[in-house]
Amino acid sequence: MNDNLLEVSNLTVQFRTDEGTFDAVQDVSFEVGRGEIVGLVGESGCGKSVTALSIVRLIPSPPGYITSGRIQFNGRDLAALDIADLRNIRGQAISMIFQEPLSALSPLQRIGTQLAEVLRMHRRIDKQQALDTAAQWLEKVRIPNPRQRLQAYPHQLSGGMQQRVMIAMALMLDPDLIIADEPTTALDVTIQAQVFKLIKEMRRELTSILLITHDMGVVWEMCDRVMVMYASKIVESGTKEQLFDHPAHPYTRGLLRSIPKLTKKSDRLKAIAGYVPSPLNYPSGCHFRDRCEYAFDRCAREIPDLFALEDSTHRAACFVAARLVREPWE
């Protein structure tokens, strides 16, 4: 059996808009092993959510289109499946926890109705059995008075409770892969910690997680491996120890320098200069070169490939990565 549950190869996602056509994701390749938690990190606008939504083909079309690439999940190419087969995989084999639970949940239906609908769509059970199972899962994710909460509408729950409902919905069909897209962005730090702890506790041993986030602290706590994305491309990947201890791409270094350090109270945070470029106007060559302190002439002429460093599991797309990975890191 292949150790990889998910293999994405050369994925390109294009958007065609009134302002022009652009690639939101360019030639992205990665894999997620069985039982592995993989983080996909980067600033807003880098293509993380588009990558995640493309896996289950939830990008709005038009204007978005998968123009090339393969998405192998359990040996099946999701990019080539018809919608009927894909619906059987969504929710049951692959579940998503969305960034904004209040947007993902219907405001017109009670929580119990929405949870029961998911169960009945994929399992041959009657309405009462579905509601009983839904109540059990609300209890598992530590929502008090679960029977009562089944009768509530989403707006009647707190942000933390809404996210717990999303976790219950994502886990109750026992999926092989959970895609969590910024699942705690709107929550306070305490609730964030509780939500991530729940996700780790409730998943099966062989359930994989693809976690999309911009929070490097969450990556350290949750993930086995990390992929760093910038302006539509993967620029570095490796184990979390490799990226935190020996970052090889200037962008990864910039993300790590922006993390507050409690041991250095007098130091100012070191922000990355500039902004993520518009996908309609990426710079020639390396997309990061306009913000990079190491950029030189070649960076404007060529797009660096993602290549293996001294450890074959650690890869970076930068012409100076081989030197940076050997330099002492703060």
Side-chain angles (χ1 to χ4, degrees):
M1 182 176 65
N2 192 336
D3 288 338
N4 291 329
L5 176 68
L6 176 70
E7 294 180 354
V8 176
S9 305
N10 308 113
L11 176 68
T12 296
V13 181
Q14 189 176 85
F15 280 75
R16 300 163 192 169
T17 70
D18 293 338
E19 296 180 24
T21 298
F22 61 89
D23 290 342
V25 175
Q26 288 187 17
D27 198 29
V28 163
S29 298
F30 64 89
E31 60 283 329
V32 178
R34 298 177 191 276
E36 188 177 36
I37 303 178
V38 177
L40 181 59
V41 302
E43 294 168 281
S44 296
C46 285
K48 306 185 303 298
S49 293
V50 174
T51 300
L53 292 172
S54 298
I55 292 171
V56 284
R57 288 166 52 193
L58 284 176
I59 55 170
S61 180
Y65 301 89
I66 296 175
T67 57
S68 65
R70 292 169 62 85
I71 305 168
Q72 294 286 127
F73 175 75
N74 263 339
R76 304 178 73 184
D77 185 4
L78 302 185
L81 287 183
D82 60 41
I83 294 300
D85 288 336
L86 197 57
R87 285 197 184 111
N88 291 329
I89 291 174
R90 291 175 184 159
Q92 182 159 296
I94 303 177
S95 290
M96 286 201 69
I97 303 174
F98 293 95
Q99 183 171 350
E100 295 289 346
L102 198 54
S103 299
L105 295 168
S106 170
L108 303 178
Q109 292 185 320
R110 300 179 192 274
I111 294 298
T113 301
Q114 297 185 60
L115 291 170
E117 182 181 14
V118 172
L119 286 164
R120 298 189 70 192
M121 185 180 298
H122 295 282
R123 302 267 173 87
R124 293 183 178 180
I125 56 176
D126 61 34
K127 183 177 180 180
Q128 189 56 52
Q129 287 177 303
L131 288 171
D132 290 342
T133 302
Q136 292 169 11
W137 271 98
L138 292 187
E139 184 175 9
K140 286 181 181 180
V141 297
R142 301 186 182 94
I143 289 182
N145 304 315
R147 290 281 176 185
Q148 180 180 341
R149 299 298 180 189
L150 289 178
Q151 302 303 313
Y153 289 94
H155 73 273
Q156 295 175 307
L157 303 180
S158 67
M161 282 193 181
Q162 291 168 13
Q163 198 56 274
R164 288 165 192 258
V165 171
M166 290 298 299
I167 293 171
M169 190 176 290
L171 293 177
M172 63 187 181
L173 290 174
D174 204 15
D176 295 316
L177 174 65
I178 299 168
I179 301 174
D181 185 6
E182 301 274 11
T184 61
T185 298
L187 307 180
D188 64 57
V189 176
T190 303
I191 301 300
Q192 282 185 33
Q194 293 174 1
V195 167
F196 282 123
K197 185 180 179 182
L198 268 175
I199 293 172
K200 290 187 79 170
E201 285 179 354
M202 300 304 297
R203 72 184 182 110
R204 288 184 297 119
E205 183 179 348
L206 290 180
T207 298
S208 305
I209 298 176
L210 177 61
L211 174 63
I212 289 85
T213 183
H214 59 265
D215 190 329
M216 297 299 282
V218 167
V219 167
W220 179 257
E221 290 294 328
M222 286 286 293
C223 298
D224 304 308
R225 283 193 304 112
V226 190
M227 300 176 295
V228 180
M229 193 167 195
Y230 181 78
S232 80
K233 300 179 77 68
I234 302 291
V235 297
E236 186 167 2
S237 65
T239 66
K240 66 180 178 183
E241 291 82 8
Q242 288 168 338
L243 265 70
F244 276 77
D245 295 342
H246 303 286
H249 197 283
Y251 180 59
T252 308
R253 292 187 164 211
L255 292 177
L256 292 173
R257 286 194 183 106
S258 67
I259 300 174
K261 295 178 175 60
L262 298 179
T263 56
K264 298 181 179 181
K265 295 182 181 179
S266 62
D267 285 359
R268 294 175 63 88
L269 289 179
K270 298 177 181 178
I272 304 173
Y275 302 92
V276 178
S278 164
L280 289 166
N281 191 31
Y282 287 139
S284 61
C286 175
H287 291 177
F288 187 62
R289 68 176 177 82
D290 288 348
R291 306 174 70 187
C292 181
E293 60 184 299
Y294 300 96
F296 61 105
D297 292 346
R298 186 182 178 188
C299 301
R301 298 193 308 267
E302 301 177 35
I303 298 177
D305 293 325
L306 196 66
F307 67 95
L309 299 168
E310 294 172 345
D311 188 322
S312 61
T313 61
H314 190 184
R315 296 179 291 173
C318 178
F319 296 124
V320 298
R323 171 167 65 87
L324 293 183
V325 78
R326 293 192 297 268
E327 289 183 356
W329 174 242
E330 53 192 55

